Amino acid sequence: MVVINIPQPTVSVTPLDVDTRMTALRKMLEIRLTEEKIQEMFLANLIRGTTHLCIGQEGVSTGVASALRKGDTVTCTYRGHGHALALGMSVKAMIAEMMGKTSGCCKGKGGSMHMTDASIGLLGANAIVGAQLPIAVGAALTASMKNTGAISVTFFGDAATNIGAFHESLNLASVWKLPVIFVCENNRYGEYSPQHWTTPVENLSVRAASYNIPGVTVDGQDVETVHAEFKVAAERARAGEGPTFLEMKTYRYLGHSRTDTGPYRPPGELDAWKERDPILLLKVKMIADGQLDEVEFGELRDAAERHVAEAVEWAKQEPYPTEADLLTDIFYEG
Amino acid sequence: MPVLTYREAVRNALADEMRADENVVFFGEDVAAAGGVFKTTPGLQEEFGSKRVRDTPISEEAFIGAALGAAITGLRPVAELMFADFIPVAMDQIVNQIAKYRYMSGGQFMVPLTIRSAQGGGVGFGTQHSQTAENWLLNTPGLKIVLPGTPVDAYGLLRGAIRENNPVIVLEHKGLYNLKGEVPDDTGVLELGKAKVVRAGRHVTVVGAQLMVHRALEAAETLAKDGIEVEVIDLRTLAPLDTATVLESIKKTGRLVVVEEAPHTSSWGGDLASLAADEGIYYLDAPVKRVNMGRAMFAYSEPLETLAIPSVERITAAIRETAYTQ
């Protein structure tokens, strides 16, 4: 029997209003169904390379995005489809990118690991573990110097807290008191290695203390808790009080990447986490509060499924880049 | 006409760009309060304040990455990486991030950032504080690489780099910081990517950068007494490389000597030899000669370091050999 320790909230978590809940539920379903479709397309060789799916972790990106404002910026990881969709990237732009099409968010030059859309504040998903943290510190420097009131968010995994860029970034952001929120998605595995093999502390939030930054361990499966804890950190950052490190305890249902079946998981662990599925938790609350029933939930799910299917059919018809695109976008000309 | 040291020229360029554009910010290790370990930036923090001119922790990866994040969100950062030997510490940010950020986003961002760093040997700093860094970077598309060799170029090219809407790495030569030279008041901003014929001659073309150009000029002076007229080209920018100026010179002289303060393998000297073979073969009257450090490293001991770096004598001998005179 695998027992999951659920972190207790450090702030008061009040229920979100029904519209915000409904938006979050729709968003999590969109992420889940998009990724299920992506997995299917990979297995059918409709998408090349590799992919890293965040199925099971949707509560973190959705909860954070629900507390952001226009002008805020985000850098994230190669497990970044959820972040991109939560911020408002269209499923079409994402699927077209994954298929290497010109109408993809990066004109097909990025792919699964580099979802980027400056127009929604998404400064880029990164394929190098930890590299997105310094970049987020720089975006926060701009916000701070121009007094925009914006905050900079960076998502990273548990294993990234063992890389130098993590420590350098927390330190720099703290000494410069920059508006950065460091959001660690602790899904318990760094690629194929369980956290306790590689990391000598259980709660990664303790690492913030040596940089004089508040560190909070959060139940990443409850979207309302994520929203509430993040909101407090965001208010601190906007008030000029500096960075916060939020460790979101979460879980990825699938392997690290396309070829990983996850044989390293203890028996029962996946099932235990599925009982704390972020979509399920919100659905149960909404049903209990009379805001949703099973039929309506089924309709939401079907609508999301149709939306994703339409995006795939559309993307299939879109053109590939040509030789004319080979050497463009290397330098800004002008 | 004002005479400045190379060091003063760097400082003046930075100050002039910071006056011209409030989005220009400058940071690095000990650059603000201390004015830089090579004293290239004294007084900037006093003039522009502690927000625009900042000391960083010794965290090269973080502050070079922060320069990228700042550049793509509206600032025009200049980051100093102190010794060029520290570039590998920030290599992920430079090679995987800065150089590729525009490309892999499908052109969504401009990346107007400048990294300044001091390279080169001859001053006894030993193996990890003397190397030239340009060849580590040249294999990466997406970067512009500038190597000023005179005060006027240090001034004008740094201003040009800061104005660029693309990432530029300016590698200053630490052995040249005390070099004096005229920097005309109207120097302004120099365009990147232009080599300069610093001495005209019709017998042999010698191509180099920074310290090697100064040594090539000494060699040319000696050889002139023997009737060998050497044309010396200062590349000034290595990416993009001004191949036209080099080819035009070979067309005239038929002979090419490439001088580098760098190891022999995988270097721009090899690229120029390849250029000559590919596009200049019918102009050549002699094999291309390369003068460089071979497999030697920058040693601490003065006799060893002196042997490692191409000397005026080695350059002179190579030119004579190419010109078929002994």
Side-chain angles (χ1 to χ4, degrees), chain B residues 5 9 95 115 119 172 178 230 244 264 284 298 311:
Chain B
T5 62
V95 171
I115 297 173
Q119 70 169 7
E172 294 157 14
N178 290 327
V230 178
H264 181 80
L284 290 179
F298 288 91
S311 61

Side-chain angles (χ1 to χ4, degrees), chain B:
Chain B
M1 196 178 282
V3 172
L4 298 177
T5 62
Y6 185 102
R7 165 185 288 118
E8 289 163 341
V10 168
R11 187 205 172 279
N12 288 359
L14 245 173
D16 285 347
E17 284 307 303
M18 293 193 78
R19 284 178 203 126
D21 182 353
E22 63 177 17
N23 286 320
V24 178
V25 296
F26 173 54
F27 47 80
E29 294 153 0
D30 292 322
V31 299
V37 296
F38 299 108
K39 298 289 174 241
T40 47
T41 56
L44 291 181
Q45 191 178 45
E46 284 84 341
E47 181 174 350
F48 300 105
S50 56
K51 281 188 184 292
R52 288 182 70 193
V53 180
R54 293 170 183 244
D55 286 315
T56 65
I58 301 178
S59 302
E60 287 87 1
E61 187 171 9
F63 75 77
I64 294 299
L68 170 59
I72 59 174
T73 49
L75 293 176
R76 193 170 281 275
V78 180
E80 180 181 306
L81 245 170
M82 203 187 285
F83 285 85
D85 311 72
F86 307 162
I87 284 176
V89 180
M91 205 64 157
D92 171 54
Q93 287 296 333
I94 296 170
V95 171
N96 284 322
Q97 312 301 332
I98 289 169
K100 295 175 174 58
Y101 227 73
R102 178 174 177 78
Y103 184 78
M104 65 188 183
S105 69
Q108 292 184 51
F109 302 106
M110 268 191 346
V111 187
L113 78 83
T114 303
I115 297 173
R116 292 179 44 238
S117 193
Q119 70 169 7
V123 282
F125 278 120
T127 321
Q128 295 176 337
H129 277 56
S130 302
Q131 297 166 94
T132 52
E134 68 264 20
N135 289 317
W136 299 336
L137 302 166
L138 276 167
N139 203 237
T140 302
L143 301 173
K144 299 199 174 188
I145 302 169
V146 177
L147 277 77
T150 61
V152 66
D153 285 348
Y155 176 82
L157 292 172
L158 179 54
R159 290 194 66 183
I162 297 170
R163 297 248 169 144
E164 258 283 337
N165 290 320
N166 292 294
V168 184
I169 303 192
V170 180
L171 298 166
E172 294 157 14
H173 196 294
K174 71 175 85 70
L176 300 177
Y177 277 131
N178 290 327
L179 180 74
K180 287 183 178 166
E182 287 176 350
V183 182
D185 285 329
D186 61 351
T187 300
V189 178
L190 292 177
E191 191 184 349
L192 309 187
K194 299 285 177 201
K196 188 176 180 183
V197 177
V198 291
R199 182 186 174 110
R202 60 196 170 100
H203 296 138
V204 179
T205 299
V206 179
V207 181
Q210 299 188 314
L211 182 63
M212 295 300 98
V213 170
H214 296 283
R215 292 189 177 177
L217 286 169
E218 276 189 58
E221 197 63 37
T222 306
L223 290 162
K225 292 171 192 145
D226 297 339
I228 301 174
E229 294 175 26
V230 178
E231 178 144 304
V232 181
I233 295 175
D234 182 349
L235 288 173
R236 306 198 296 175
T237 301
L238 288 172
L241 187 64
D242 181 359
T243 54
T245 297
V246 177
L247 283 169
E248 200 178 317
S249 180
I250 307 173
K251 194 173 179 179
K252 182 168 68 174
T253 63
R255 292 175 164 84
L256 175 64
V257 175
V258 186
V259 190
E260 289 173 280
E261 186 181 343
H264 181 80
T265 48
S266 301
S267 75
W268 55 263
D271 292 349
L272 284 182
S274 155
L275 174 78
D278 190 19
E279 296 179 44
I281 190 78
Y282 300 114
Y283 310 143
L284 290 179
D285 296 322
V288 174
K289 192 82 188 165
R290 294 180 59 195
V291 186
N292 51 49
M293 294 176 58
R295 294 167 57 220
M297 298 195 194
F298 288 91
Y300 166 68
S301 176
E302 190 168 6
L304 288 180
E305 190 184 26
T306 303
L307 282 167
I309 303 171
S311 61
V312 176
E313 292 71 28
R314 275 173 62 196
I315 297 166
T316 307
I319 297 169
R320 280 190 197 281
E321 207 177 310
T322 305
Y324 297 122
T325 61
Q326 295 302 314

